[in-house]
Amino acid sequence: MTMTRESAETIGLQVLAWLVSNEDLLPVFLGASGASEADIRQQAGNAEFLGSVLDFILMDDAWVTQFCDGQNLPYERLMQARMSLPGGEIVNWT
């Protein structure tokens, strides 16, 4: 399924809002990314930043499951969104 960049950004924003509301996971994201809470506010509309948010969530199946179950989304939708944002292209090394 092809996803538009606009749809991917919307999902990225939904993930970001979920992440910010998760008081256990937000500090993990901030520590792993080096971002501050001010950076989150400033970069929320930046497609590259939203891609990094999706990269973070996609590191753990439990996080994907928690988010998608809460939003009633198919689990693969997050990867589809990531692939539609800058830096998410599939690399062919051959």
Side-chain angles (χ1 to χ4, degrees), residues 6-70:
E6 183 177 305
S7 295
E9 288 179 6
T10 298
I11 290 173
L13 285 169
Q14 291 171 334
V15 171
L16 181 60
W18 175 81
L19 182 61
V20 167
S21 70
N22 187 321
E23 60 188 48
D24 293 329
L25 193 53
L26 180 60
V28 178
F29 172 73
L30 294 176
S33 67
S36 67
E37 291 181 20
D39 292 331
I40 289 174
R41 286 188 291 278
Q42 292 172 347
Q43 297 296 321
N46 181 313
E48 290 84 7
F49 181 75
L50 294 175
S52 71
V53 170
L54 288 169
D55 284 338
F56 175 77
I57 293 298
L58 288 165
M59 290 190 323
D60 191 313
D61 289 345
W63 301 339
V64 171
T65 301
Q66 288 171 18
F67 172 78
C68 289
D69 287 352

Side-chain angles (χ1 to χ4, degrees), residues 1-12 77 80-86:
M1 174 183 171
T2 303
M3 181 178 293
T4 66
R5 181 169 169 161
E6 183 177 305
S7 295
E9 288 179 6
T10 298
I11 290 173
R77 190 67 46 90
Q80 293 167 346
R82 179 61 190 110
M83 291 173 61
S84 298
L85 293 174

